[in-house]
Amino acid sequence: IKITFEVRKSFWNSLIRVEVVSVNIIFYYSATLVILAASVALGPPWAILVALVYVIIFDWACYRTWKDHLENNLVPHADIHEFAPNLGKIADRLYKVSGLTAENNPIYDFRTKSSLEKKPHKLHERWAHLMANSHNAAALHMGRPIIMISTPLLQLLDDPEEEAALAHEFAHVMAHDTYLQLFQKLLARITSIVNMITSLWALIMTGFRGVISSVVIGIGSLLSVKHFHPDGRLLFAKKDKLKGALDVLKRNRLHGKSKMIYRITSWPILTYFFHYYMAYVATAWGLSLTATLLTASFSRSREYKADQMALQLGADPIALITALRKLTILEKRNRLTLHSDHAHTRTSFKKTWKQLFSTHPPFDSRIERIATTARKRGVSEGLIGKATTQPIELSKEHDAPYEVIKQMARNL
């Protein structure tokens, strides 16, 4: 009777998990399709055709380039690594419990064969170079599953933490997260292009005077930021003239300010030439923003799911917590390095706004959920408390190189 009960209990728990995952996926895809339908209804009839052609030709070509690059150019890690002598043994255990095979899914570094021979220039080469020199792990399933972990991350983590990090990536592969997110991203991308075309169409409807006014307002927005903002000199500065990572970050923010000034100034004026201009453009902007937020939220939900699946694969929740805490410490150090010569404060609103667009949940939030799962599994409160609060000392050798931080600042 006990065995039958346990089997039935396991079956229903599995069924509930499948239903929860299905509801999660259905919600995000349905919401994205609704936003896309609203965008198509708002814009000109031909906008969806232009968007589809663009995505099929350009975005799919980009996808194929990334796929070929990752499948054919990454350098695999040795089973006995300089900083992870048990990497092969850890990977073998994860292969067995996950059902994956080492022949089809070796553990790769982010380094590429071409990066060993020359300085990276192409976008995918620069991305791989940046990831290889920072603390990262990733799993991409674009035909053949690719599991990657950088050498700096292997150097940072001990064996249980390393296994927990890899289990998280194995979970992404098992859940086919790359495919799930790819098609949702393409729908969101089509939505953004349709809304961009709608905004352009609304501008054309303002007539010649409206278009000229838009150009003048755009130039005026840039010049106003350049001349009246304390850091305005950075707006048109060339890359080699930027002194450090902070200058890169400041320039990105200046461009954002100029766009906001343009919207605030141009929308009322252009509405004078075409009475529905503001309604069309504001709605299109709102729909694109919603699609972007849905994409980021979907990605965060898959990260939470991968954490839980990693624990199901046998990862130690305490090790996963300490691994995330180490990454939290390094992230704070990177930010301090970035703002070392500049007083930087971030309001709670700015933090929340940034998190809404982030593809990964905050480390603190992930740690809290993992700790909750650990308690349900019977892990003592003492071990959990020690893992979440005990100070962790990391030497400076683990800090990311300044040039890497500077490159990361371009995307902050």
Side-chain angles (χ1 to χ4, degrees):
I1 295 174
K2 181 178 180 181
I3 295 175
T4 303
F5 173 76
E6 291 297 332
V7 170
R8 288 180 178 176
K9 182 178 179 182
S10 176
F11 169 76
W12 285 112
N13 285 343
S14 299
L15 182 60
I16 291 172
R17 285 196 296 270
V18 170
E19 288 179 352
V20 170
V21 171
S22 299
V23 169
N24 173 273
I25 296 171
I26 290 171
F27 167 76
Y28 283 105
Y29 270 85
S30 299
T32 307
L33 286 171
V34 168
I35 298 300
L36 174 58
S39 301
V40 172
L42 178 69
W46 45 268
I48 182 64
L49 297 177
V50 174
L52 285 172
V53 170
Y54 184 93
V55 168
I56 291 173
I57 294 177
F58 294 101
D59 286 53
W60 194 255
C62 181
Y63 157 79
R64 294 293 304 180
T65 300
W66 279 94
K67 178 180 181 297
D68 294 342
H69 173 74
L70 293 175
E71 290 184 353
N72 301 313
N73 289 289
L74 291 177
V75 178
H77 282 299
D79 289 342
I80 302 177
H81 193 277
E82 177 185 2
F83 302 114
N86 296 315
L87 178 60
K89 295 179 181 179
I90 292 172
D92 286 340
R93 197 197 72 77
L94 290 173
Y95 288 134
K96 291 178 182 178
V97 297
S98 66
L100 302 176
T101 59
E103 291 77 14
N104 296 328
N105 307 281
I107 308 299
Y108 288 99
D109 194 354
F110 286 95
R111 292 180 304 149
T112 61
K113 299 173 184 177
S114 58
S115 68
L116 299 177
E117 302 171 357
K118 60 180 182 179
K119 184 178 180 180
H121 292 288
K122 296 181 179 179
L123 177 61
H124 52 269
E125 292 177 345
R126 294 199 305 270
W127 175 84
H129 177 75
L130 175 63
M131 298 290 280
N133 289 279
S134 53
H135 304 87
N136 283 291
L140 300 175
H141 193 173
M142 305 169 75
R144 179 167 65 84
I146 305 293
I147 299 172
M148 298 163 283
I149 184 168
S150 67
T151 297
L153 187 57
L154 289 177
Q155 187 178 7
L156 175 70
L157 305 179
D158 60 26
D159 283 356
E161 294 167 345
E162 180 185 311
E163 181 173 355
L166 285 173
H168 176 96
E169 305 308 332
F170 271 76
H172 277 307
V173 172
M174 293 173 62
H176 302 283
D177 280 340
T178 300
Y179 283 127
L180 289 175
Q181 294 182 62
L182 172 63
F183 292 108
Q184 191 275 336
K185 285 179 181 178
L186 289 177
L187 291 174
R189 174 70 169 159
I190 293 171
T191 301
S192 297
I193 295 174
V194 169
N195 288 313
M196 183 177 64
I197 293 173
T198 300
S199 299
L200 180 61
W201 171 80
L203 177 61
I204 294 174
M205 292 298 292
T206 63
F208 178 77
R209 290 186 300 171
V211 173
I212 295 300
S213 298
S214 176
V215 173
V216 172
I217 295 171
I219 296 174
S221 301
L222 291 170
L223 292 178
S224 64
V225 171
K226 179 183 179 182
H227 291 291
F228 296 106
H229 194 279
D231 300 315
R233 59 180 177 79
L234 301 173
L235 189 62
F236 299 109
K238 296 181 180 179
K239 292 182 179 180
D240 56 349
K241 298 296 183 181
L242 299 176
K243 295 181 180 180
L246 183 58
D247 281 355
V248 176
L249 183 59
K250 286 180 178 178
R251 187 179 65 171
N252 293 344
R253 290 175 176 171
L254 288 174
H255 281 288
K257 290 180 184 296
S258 66
K259 289 179 182 179
M260 184 59 65
I261 293 173
Y262 171 79
R263 291 193 185 102
I264 294 173
T265 308
S266 68
W267 286 6
I269 295 175
L270 295 179
T271 302
Y272 171 79
F273 298 107
F274 176 47
H275 296 326
Y276 300 104
Y277 177 84
M278 185 180 294
Y280 272 105
V281 175
T283 304
W285 180 78
L287 290 171
S288 294
L289 178 65
T290 304
T292 301
L293 292 175
L294 282 171
T295 299
S297 179
F298 187 35
S299 177
R300 292 195 299 271
S301 73
R302 303 313 298 170
E303 292 299 324
Y304 284 129
K305 180 63 180 176
D307 283 341
Q308 297 302 315
M309 287 185 66
L311 301 182
Q312 294 174 18
L313 290 174
D316 182 358
I318 300 300
L320 187 52
I321 288 173
T322 55
L324 290 173
R325 286 193 63 208
K326 287 181 178 180
L327 292 175
T328 304
I329 293 170
L330 293 177
E331 182 183 59
K332 290 180 179 178
R333 282 190 188 175
N334 290 343
R335 193 164 293 281
L336 286 173
T337 301
L338 180 63
H339 299 281
S340 58
D341 58 342
H342 178 72
H344 177 70
T345 57
R346 181 182 289 178
T347 64
S348 58
F349 174 78
K350 287 183 178 180
K351 289 181 180 178
T352 303
W353 184 253
K354 182 177 176 60
Q355 289 171 5
L356 287 174
F357 291 90
S358 176
T359 57
H360 284 64
F363 287 132
D364 291 343
S365 178
R366 293 174 64 182
I367 290 172
E368 183 178 347
R369 294 196 182 199
I370 296 166
T372 300
T373 302
R375 291 187 183 95
K376 293 179 180 179
R377 293 188 171 199
V379 179
S380 70
E381 196 64 39
L383 285 175
I384 296 174
K386 183 178 179 180
T388 55
T389 61
Q390 185 176 10
I392 297 177
E393 298 293 334
L394 297 178
S395 63
K396 292 294 184 180
E397 67 177 350
H398 293 297
D399 290 357
Y402 184 75
E403 284 302 316
V404 171
I405 297 176
K406 184 176 179 179
Q407 291 178 23
M408 293 168 62
R410 300 181 190 278
N411 299 318
L412 292 177

